[in-house]
Amino acid sequence: MAALCEGFTLCGLGPSGGGVGLGAGVLALEPGPDSDHVLLTDRGRTATLFKVSDQKPLGCWSVKHGQIITCPVVCNFETHEYIAVHDDKVLRIWKDEDVNLDKVFKATLSADVYRIHSLPHGEPLVLFKGGDVRTLDVLLEAPQQEIQNFISDEVIKWSEAFLEGQEPILIFATEKDGDYFIYIQKFKLNILCKYKLEQQELSNPLSFTAYIENQIVTLLCLYSNDSVYKVLIPLQQHSEEQILSKSLLLKLSVSGSVLKGTSFAVLDKDHVAVLGSLTAFGEESKECLTVWNTKFQTLQTSKELPLGTSGQLWCYGEKFFFTHGKVLTVIVYKCETSSLAAAVGKLKDSQTSDVSSFTNWNTLSDEELVVSLQSQQSVVLKSESKMTLRSRRNSVAKVQPDTLTVGQLLLDIKDSSPAAIEDELKQWLSKAQMPDFQATIGCVITALTNRCKIDPMFYPRNFLVQLIQKQEFSYSLCPNLMTVALEKKDMHLLQICLQRFPDIPEEITYACLKVFLSISDDYLESTDVNLDSVICYIDIEPNNKEVKTEIVENGFNTELEEDSCTFTKETHLKNDGEFCPVGPQKAALLNAVLHSAYSETFLLPHLKDLPAQQAVLFLRYLHYLYVKSSEKITTTLPGVLSPTINQIMDWMCLLLDAHFTVMVVLPEAKGLLSSLHKFVRAQVRFYSELNKIEGSLLELQRLKRQKETQTYSIEVLELI
């Protein structure tokens, strides 16, 4: 049995798609350093590393203008480095922390590279267009070494690498004048075996895939006659250019419809996935992703793709990756042991909890949410239509309280009164914690936010706040929650989400920052905001001004800096940073933003859109925090979840990078920048003085360890 989960978007593909700008299309997708990461290479200059579960890019690297990446970027699993080839012959190797590819390792090779294959527990293999193969370490010893041409006029169409035992095996297919050849490179014996593929009348292979089991290569070929063929090649066989016979594995037709496949992937020994166009007589063709059972010759499941695809399909870690319209889509799948009952869709005991944990709850309708959850909890499902589910809703409301199920709750959320929904939510939460509780709660929150979008008067704020405070959630589990909170201007809920969600997209973080800065302090006084992060270092007077406190600059003697920054009591009152420029509620909300995780690469473009006045206000607040944190030698602000000195400095630098030109031009920012400059310079000089006596302090510490003193003693030490 096979099942497809609802898909989600990994990234946009066009310059306007909000993604990584892959306007030229996708060259390939390769596995990343672990099962939750993938490397995306476009048909141009760029490679991007994505974390799939968070749907976020972690790094992006580009070659210079005029250069083109000519084979997919791969990860060396042994060294955790990335390998790319641009302009056919130029090899580049870098690590996560590298930014500029011009400054990373470079080697120019003597022949054109077709592809690099990385193996989980072995050295990467480099396949050249002439059919020669080298391991990466051997190639790097002499990059200009001679590369042989084994295939003359043949063109490589496909290649794949495997580990059989401890031996790397490379298989590639070539084409010449309509004939197709299969090559198998064995590295232990340094043997390259060549085979000719049996011709199929009026049909050509479109795609290849393979796997190795018990020293036998199983090669699967997708042909243009809507069929999948299987070829068996024993690895012990060394005969030269033997003709390989093939057998029909699967005919891609069902109920009068034929699937015109473009690419496919093996899921297990009984299932294959095929991407293509499903056509029926007299009907328009529809592009779709299908999963077939090869053992029983049945179509297990399919998903229509109305926006079209590029015909490319990748499969890693029980996830499908393919282009759909202008985005790269991910669909999680689940395959179970093949049986006749499962093949014909009559298996009652289906366990699909693993699939539901990746469900994109945001895209499911209310009835689909019910079905997904029931499937997740291994509930026996019957073939009920959506109309049947709707008709059951009235009877669901009358069920005894102790029998309330998640499915019934989801249906009631759709159109019951807010009071009734709140009672049912309280009753449901009072139960003992159920299996897959987080996924279930994500489903419930999605149903609530869907209702909020449809019904402006519906907003169960107290329940949502209580739920987020008590449970460990992530943004990806309930992606619409913060969007709805922004629309409702629910400051408290946004504050909690920023403090607790580890995977908030930079776009949402920026939207929260902009809203917090734009709302007046008078409005925020009437809102429920947690002040624990500010109350310990901001004293509030009735006029909302901070009470004056004595400033001690980390013990620094201000007389040393009188020429540039005289921190006397009289002049310091005029400096930026003396008083908090915002009220306590706004300060607490801004602290929540400072605590949220972000990637500088992806936040900076959004920060550049921040209005100038708001940018100045935010910088004033950061300056204030910087001054306050510098009062104590520990440079730590008191309070719960107060921002750290590193967070303050990182955001200050990020904001100045985004708005430096504007800050220099704006008259109201001139004094702020001058004050910030003087304060930082004073801090630098103070720490410079500390560095000067560091050696003496270390010497004192060493002498103290060497001497044993009595209960009372007087010592005279000379510092030279």
Side-chain angles (χ1 to χ4, degrees):
M1 180 180 178
L4 293 177
C5 176
E6 191 70 21
F8 58 89
T9 297
L10 184 61
C11 68
L13 299 180
S16 61
V20 291
L22 305 181
V26 178
L27 177 63
L29 194 78
E30 292 288 327
D34 59 48
S35 59
D36 195 30
H37 294 78
V38 292
L39 270 168
L40 181 65
T41 309
D42 71 12
R43 295 184 182 276
R45 307 185 302 115
T46 306
T48 308
L49 178 68
F50 285 93
K51 185 174 182 180
V52 180
S53 60
D54 291 345
Q55 303 165 40
K56 291 179 65 174
L58 302 180
C60 186
W61 302 274
S62 298
V63 295
K64 291 192 302 185
H65 284 283
Q67 298 175 342
I68 297 176
I69 298 178
T70 48
C71 77
V73 176
V74 299
C75 176
N76 186 337
F77 301 110
E78 296 290 300
T79 63
H80 297 286
E81 295 174 321
Y82 304 104
I83 311 165
V85 174
H86 64 81
D87 303 315
D88 294 316
K89 294 182 180 180
V90 183
L91 188 74
R92 297 278 187 177
I93 302 176
W94 72 93
K95 292 190 175 183
D96 282 310
E97 57 268 23
D98 294 317
V99 177
N100 189 348
L101 292 190
D102 283 340
K103 298 181 180 179
V104 303
F105 176 83
K106 172 185 175 182
T108 302
L109 309 178
S110 62
D112 292 351
V113 175
Y114 173 74
R115 190 147 190 171
I116 299 174
H117 291 282
S118 190
L119 296 170
H121 304 289
E123 190 70 16
L125 307 177
V126 182
L127 173 62
F128 291 88
K129 291 184 178 180
D132 202 356
V133 185
R134 295 284 193 278
T135 59
L136 183 64
D137 55 352
V138 170
L139 190 62
L140 293 181
E141 290 176 0
Q144 284 294 309
Q145 62 188 266
E146 183 181 357
I147 302 299
Q148 300 182 45
N149 189 338
F150 294 112
I151 60 177
S152 59
D153 296 331
E154 299 170 28
V155 178
I156 300 178
K157 295 293 186 180
W158 164 84
S159 65
E160 190 57 77
F162 305 91
L163 268 181
E164 178 63 8
Q166 297 298 317
E167 180 184 11
I169 303 290
L170 184 71
I171 306 173
F172 60 95
T174 66
E175 184 268 338
K176 178 182 178 182
D177 300 330
D179 291 327
Y180 287 82
F181 303 91
I182 306 298
Y183 291 84
I184 298 180
Q185 174 72 59
K186 305 173 188 178
F187 283 83
K188 278 189 177 180
L189 301 176
N190 195 22
I191 296 175
L192 180 63
C193 300
K194 179 180 181 181
Y195 306 91
K196 184 177 182 181
L197 198 59
E198 179 186 20
Q199 287 189 335
Q200 181 71 27
E201 189 176 353
L202 302 177
S203 180
N204 293 315
L206 303 174
S207 181
F208 299 89
T209 189
Y211 61 91
I212 299 178
E213 189 175 28
N214 299 326
Q215 290 290 309
I216 296 178
V217 176
T218 301
L219 178 69
L220 303 183
C221 313
L222 174 64
Y223 272 74
S224 57
N225 63 351
D226 317 318
S227 301
V228 177
Y229 292 89
K230 178 171 70 173
V231 179
L232 299 178
I233 312 172
L235 284 176
Q236 295 86 353
Q237 185 173 294
H238 297 155
S239 57
E240 183 64 24
E241 203 162 325
Q242 175 187 347
I243 296 180
L244 297 173
S245 60
K246 58 184 182 296
S247 59
L248 180 64
L249 179 67
L250 179 66
K251 190 70 177 174
L252 301 175
S253 61
V254 58
S255 302
S257 299
V258 176
L259 181 68
K260 301 288 185 183
T262 55
S263 58
F264 74 130
V266 175
L267 308 185
D268 60 27
K269 64 177 182 178
D270 294 326
H271 295 90
V272 296
V274 184
L275 185 67
S277 299
L278 194 62
T279 59
F281 181 75
E283 295 182 8
E284 187 177 351
S285 63
K286 301 176 182 178
E287 288 197 59
C288 57
L289 174 65
T290 59
V291 178
W292 299 76
N293 187 306
T294 57
K295 186 175 181 179
F296 298 106
Q297 302 287 300
T298 57
L299 174 63
Q300 290 284 273
T301 185
S302 66
K303 183 173 183 62
E304 188 176 335
L305 307 171
L307 301 181
T309 73
S310 65
Q312 300 163 292
L313 176 67
W314 300 274
C315 178
Y316 302 117
E318 294 194 343
K319 302 180 190 74
F320 292 124
F321 300 83
F322 55 89
T323 61
H324 186 209
K326 294 184 178 181
V327 300
L328 183 67
T329 297
V330 183
I331 289 184
V332 179
Y333 70 88
K334 181 70 175 179
C335 284
E336 297 179 351
T337 304
S338 182
S339 67
L340 183 59
V344 297
K346 300 297 184 182
L347 186 62
K348 294 183 179 179
D349 243 350
S350 56
Q351 304 286 333
T352 56
S353 59
D354 290 343
V355 176
S356 64
S357 64
F358 284 90
T359 301
N360 188 349
W361 306 113
N362 181 40
T363 62
L364 298 181
S365 66
D366 297 295
E367 287 79 14
E368 290 171 326
L369 286 168
V370 176
V371 173
S372 294
L373 274 174
Q374 288 173 333
S375 173
Q376 171 194 342
Q377 295 163 349
S378 302
V379 174
V380 178
L381 293 179
K382 296 182 179 180
S383 299
E384 295 179 300
S385 65
K386 293 184 179 181
M387 186 178 299
T388 306
L389 288 172
R390 289 192 182 99
S391 67
R392 288 179 52 201
R393 200 204 59 77
N394 292 330
S395 62
V396 165
K398 300 176 183 178
V399 175
Q400 295 298 322
D402 58 347
T403 62
L404 181 65
T405 66
V406 181
Q408 294 163 359
L409 177 61
L410 293 176
L411 292 175
D412 283 349
I413 287 174
K414 187 177 179 182
D415 52 12
S416 294
S417 66
I421 293 174
E422 187 173 351
D423 290 340
E424 290 188 7
L425 289 171
K426 290 179 180 177
Q427 171 199 326
W428 179 69
L429 280 179
S430 65
K431 293 181 180 180
Q433 187 157 316
M434 63 196 71
D436 296 318
F437 183 70
Q438 280 197 333
T440 306
I441 286 291
C443 181
V444 172
I445 293 178
T446 297
L448 291 172
T449 54
N450 289 343
R451 171 77 181 271
C452 292
K453 291 180 179 180
I454 299 172
D455 182 3
M457 302 301 294
F458 178 81
Y459 185 55
R461 177 184 180 277
N462 293 334
F463 171 77
L464 293 173
V465 169
Q466 178 186 359
L467 200 60
I468 301 300
Q469 283 179 326
K470 291 185 177 181
Q471 304 294 334
E472 292 295 330
F473 287 103
S474 63
Y475 176 88
S476 55
L477 198 62
C478 43
N480 271 342
L481 179 61
M482 293 188 71
T483 304
V484 171
L486 283 167
E487 293 173 356
K488 301 290 184 180
K489 292 188 176 180
D490 190 341
M491 301 297 115
H492 190 203
L493 183 57
L494 289 172
Q495 181 189 28
I496 297 171
C497 292
L498 285 166
Q499 291 172 342
R500 298 180 71 88
F501 288 178
D503 57 344
I504 301 174
E506 285 76 4
E507 182 180 4
I508 298 297
T509 302
Y510 165 74
C512 292
L513 174 63
K514 189 174 181 181
V515 168
F516 295 163
L517 291 170
S518 63
I519 293 182
S520 66
D521 288 326
D522 293 336
Y523 174 84
L524 288 174
E525 284 183 4
S526 60
T527 60
D528 181 18
V529 176
N530 189 331
L531 300 180
D532 287 349
S533 68
V534 299
I535 200 65
C536 292
Y537 64 85
I538 293 184
D539 297 322
I540 308 301
E541 286 184 337
N543 62 356
N544 229 11
K545 294 292 184 181
E546 186 202 9
V547 175
K548 176 70 180 71
T549 57
E550 188 69 22
I551 305 285
V552 180
E553 318 301 347
N554 274 330
F556 177 64
N557 186 354
T558 54
E559 293 178 0
L560 296 175
E561 193 64 22
E562 282 180 352
D563 60 327
S564 60
C565 184
T566 306
F567 284 102
T568 64
K569 189 171 183 178
E570 179 181 354
T571 58
H572 188 67
L573 289 170
K574 301 178 183 179
N575 286 345
D576 288 289
E578 169 65 17
F579 296 113
C580 183
V582 297
Q585 287 83 7
K586 184 174 291 188
L589 294 174
L590 293 176
N591 285 355
V593 173
L594 299 183
H595 263 283
S596 62
Y598 66 90
S599 167
E600 180 178 335
T601 304
F602 303 106
L603 181 60
L604 190 60
H606 295 294
L607 273 184
K608 290 180 179 179
D609 296 331
L610 192 67
Q613 298 301 326
Q614 294 181 11
V616 172
L617 177 61
F618 190 32
L619 186 59
R620 286 186 187 278
Y621 178 65
L622 292 171
H623 181 204
Y624 167 78
L625 290 179
Y626 182 41
V627 172
K628 294 294 290 184
S629 63
S630 300
E631 293 179 7
K632 307 295 181 183
I633 194 66
T634 59
T635 65
T636 301
L637 291 172
V640 179
L641 294 178
S642 298
T644 65
I645 186 67
N646 287 337
Q647 290 170 336
I648 296 166
M649 292 299 295
D650 288 345
W651 274 91
M652 194 179 293
C653 294
L654 196 60
L655 191 63
L656 287 173
D657 285 344
H659 289 274
F660 184 75
T661 304
V662 176
M663 295 287 184
V664 172
V665 173
L666 281 178
E668 55 266 39
K670 184 177 180 181
L672 171 63
L673 293 178
S674 176
S675 175
L676 185 61
H677 171 69
K678 290 177 181 178
F679 188 80
V680 171
R681 186 164 60 179
Q683 292 285 294
V684 170
R685 292 198 178 187
F686 168 62
Y687 285 108
S688 176
E689 295 297 321
L690 285 181
N691 286 333
K692 291 178 182 178
I693 64 171
E694 182 182 11
S696 299
L697 294 175
L698 291 175
E699 182 66 17
L700 287 175
Q701 192 175 23
R702 187 183 66 82
L703 291 173
K704 186 177 181 181
R705 285 197 302 266
Q706 288 179 349
K707 277 190 172 184
E708 289 187 6
T709 58
Q710 302 298 325
T711 305
Y712 176 78
S713 66
I714 297 176
E715 298 181 35
V716 178
L717 301 175
E718 294 184 8
L719 297 179
I720 301 175

